[in-house]
Amino acid sequence: MKIGVIGDDFTGSGDIANTLAKAGARTVQYVGTPSGHLADEIDAAVIALKTRSVEAGDAVAQSLAACRWLVANGAEQIVFKYCSTFDSTPQGNIGPVAQALLEELDAPLALVCPAFPANRRTVYNGHLFVGDRLLSESGMENHPLTPMTDPDIRRWLSRQTQLKVGHLPLESLRSGGAEAVFNLAKRNGEKLIVADAITDDDLIALGKIAKTHRLITGGSGIAMGLPSNFGIHPVIGDRQRFAGNNRPGFILSGSCSSATRRQIAAYRNGHPSMQLDAADVLDPDAAIASGLDFLVSHKDAGPLVYSTAEPSEVSAAQTRHGRERLAGLFETIFAELAAKAVAAGFRRLVVAGGETSGAVASAFGASALEVGPEIDTGVPVLILDGEPRLALALKSGNFGADDFFERALDMLKGGAP
Ligand SMILES: Nc1ncnc2c1ncn2[C@@H]1O[C@H](COP(=O)(O)OP(=O)(O)OP(=O)(O)O)[C@@H](O)[C@H]1O
Ligand SMILES: O=C(O)[C@@H](O)C(=O)CO
């Protein structure tokens, strides 16, 4: 293995696994840190953790364990993957995890670059944009767990860590001045270098520059240029066919993002759907039983169960019942519902939301996921080759076109996309 990735959530891990696979790397995604040794010959291993919203000390401990497994299994370079919208609170976890990994790997500095231009996330002058809006005006300021209220990544990161934060401006990157910026940063004691990038070419250039870096941190875009540093190149048509699954499929959504809200509205028009609200989750057993009943009675119609709600409803419910408590209850319900639906014969699962996907995927135990073709930018088909074999689409909250759910369920059947 050449490249080892620590992903702070499940959909994000699928996103970077997809990027690495597209760049030609033989990639496996793991649900949590594996216990045994790496059996197969692969180029990249992505360990999907669910550390984005846990307490910082816990995120650090889990990330270090993943890093140690990756290094013990041959990883020459470690990537810490977080969200392209830098989802985190002022307490962490990006800063504390990056700091711990720098120390663990004895690295002098690491890049910080959430840019993902294909999904319209760009970094310029240290500020993160989503499309033509600053991050803090993009809808991310309403996120249920990690409201992003400051678009200046240097400032946001500085709240999370004592480490000195530096900056690699776009002009320096493009004019070949990155090494000089790194040398100056080392002299100034700067350890985390927020890098501007507004195009894929910028990210590929960053990847090349980071060839000798032991640690790199960023969104999935940062991985675009890494495989070629190890002599790995794309194989045309490699992931076009896969053995999918024709058995019943269903959709679960705990994401409240703007893209998911549009996708829910589009899918509800013509497909069976059921909403769980905050009142429902206070009685989890009843919510699971009625959710399962609904799924089974619409088994062949691709039923959708969602908790997705408008920002005003989410914040009212959080004020009444507590943010963490509600998130935990929804996640437990979705995970148990998924496990019961699979026991009832469902084999295709589409899940929207990173935290929600983490809870659902973990319900099937520690396992390795094969990375299939891309459904929409940043969302691959994932195959859990266990007993039973499952075809999964784990969608990041803000990813995917409006008709994503219908196309994803269809693509999970397999064959050519
Ligand atoms: N109606 C609701 N009220 C309060 N919290 C909710 C509600 N619906 C979902 N949640 C919680 O909000 C969180 C949504 O996070 P999740 O990561 O699943 O989606 P996302 O942030 O849109 O996706 P991503 O992280 O991939 O961008 C989950 O913890 C979920 O349980
Ligand atoms: O980077 C992104 O936006 C996604 O891969 C993600 O992490 C969403 O949870």
Side-chain angles (χ1 to χ4, degrees):
M1 187 215 318
K2 305 291 183 202
I3 303 170
V5 182
I6 304 161
D8 74 348
D9 87 336
F10 277 61
T11 50
S13 296
D15 178 12
I16 195 164
N18 177 58
T19 307
L20 289 162
K22 273 207 287 195
R26 290 164 301 170
T27 306
V28 174
Q29 179 174 334
Y30 294 95
V31 177
T33 302
S35 47
H37 274 282
L38 187 63
D40 301 320
E41 180 82 5
I42 57 171
D43 300 314
V46 178
I47 296 185
L49 299 178
K50 192 173 175 307
T51 47
R52 190 172 287 176
S53 304
V54 302
E55 188 268 319
D58 186 12
V60 166
Q62 290 192 48
S63 306
L64 284 175
C67 179
R68 286 174 190 147
W69 186 89
L70 291 163
V71 170
N73 284 280
E76 293 173 30
Q77 189 164 53
I78 298 293
V79 181
F80 169 37
K81 157 73 176 72
Y82 40 75
C83 195
S84 61
T85 41
F86 213 69
D87 299 17
S88 51
T89 65
Q91 292 73 42
N93 294 337
I94 297 174
V97 171
Q99 177 167 353
L101 292 174
L102 274 170
E103 283 161 16
E104 174 74 15
L105 297 165
D106 198 19
L109 52 75
L111 289 172
V112 174
C113 186
F116 187 6
N119 267 344
R120 308 187 70 221
R121 286 93 198 261
T122 53
V123 182
Y124 186 60
N125 283 338
H127 287 63
L128 182 52
F129 291 82
V130 177
D132 63 354
R133 316 298 303 205
L134 284 165
L135 175 67
S136 49
E137 298 167 17
S138 68
M140 280 304 296
E141 68 277 20
N142 298 318
H143 190 279
L145 299 177
T146 49
M148 297 305 295
T149 50
D150 188 344
D152 186 333
I153 297 307
R154 300 160 299 183
R155 201 161 50 200
W156 195 253
L157 194 55
S158 297
R159 295 192 181 102
Q160 301 178 353
T161 166
Q162 307 279 305
L163 292 182
K164 275 178 102 175
V165 176
H167 180 217
L168 172 57
L170 191 67
E171 297 71 23
S172 307
L173 172 69
R174 290 191 172 175
S175 64
E179 266 320 314
V181 171
F182 293 153
N183 288 335
L184 185 62
K186 283 177 198 158
R187 283 203 294 281
N188 289 340
E190 292 163 358
K191 297 274 188 185
L192 292 169
I193 313 297
V194 176
D196 288 353
I198 61 173
T199 63
D200 284 356
D201 284 347
D202 295 328
L203 286 163
I204 289 168
L206 275 175
K208 283 195 170 37
I209 288 162
K211 183 172 180 170
T212 58
H213 292 197
R214 283 281 280 157
L215 175 69
I216 299 164
T217 84
S220 61
I222 198 73
M224 283 179 12
L226 301 180
S228 70
N229 288 336
F230 296 96
I232 300 164
H233 299 288
V235 182
I236 307 296
D238 192 28
R239 294 189 301 150
Q240 295 309 295
R241 297 196 71 81
F242 69 100
N245 207 310
N246 225 344
R247 304 272 302 276
F250 66 102
I251 303 165
L252 298 179
S253 173
S255 161
C256 300
S257 71
S258 347
T260 303
R261 296 204 308 277
R262 287 197 302 276
Q263 289 154 353
I264 300 264
Y267 194 78
R268 285 185 58 206
N269 185 11
H271 298 92
S273 63
M274 173 182 172
Q275 184 171 22
L276 293 176
D277 66 23
D280 296 322
V281 296
L282 298 179
D283 185 351
D285 291 342
I288 294 163
S290 62
L292 184 64
D293 195 39
F294 171 79
L295 289 178
V296 170
S297 56
H298 296 91
K299 203 167 187 173
D300 296 314
L304 158 71
V305 176
Y306 65 99
S307 65
T308 309
E310 294 299 315
S312 56
E313 294 170 57
V314 173
S315 64
Q318 287 177 332
T319 309
R320 206 168 323 125
H321 305 293
R323 174 184 296 204
E324 273 78 29
R325 178 168 176 237
L326 266 189
L329 284 167
F330 275 121
E331 289 173 29
T332 305
I333 287 168
F334 281 127
E336 287 194 26
L337 189 52
K340 287 192 155 67
V342 167
F346 285 88
R347 294 293 179 266
R348 285 176 290 137
L349 280 71
V350 178
V351 187
E355 297 296 327
T356 310
S357 296
V360 168
S362 306
F364 302 106
S367 44
L369 302 169
E370 188 188 315
V371 187
E374 189 172 45
I375 304 167
D376 257 339
T377 305
V379 194
V381 167
L382 294 170
I383 303 292
L384 198 163
D385 196 9
E387 193 44 63
R389 181 183 168 88
L390 300 176
L392 309 170
L394 308 180
K395 186 194 81 76
S396 296
N398 267 314
F399 286 5
D402 290 0
D403 63 349
F404 176 86
F405 290 143
E406 189 164 5
R407 279 186 305 105
L409 267 186
D410 196 47
M411 229 171 119
L412 294 182
K413 289 181 182 161

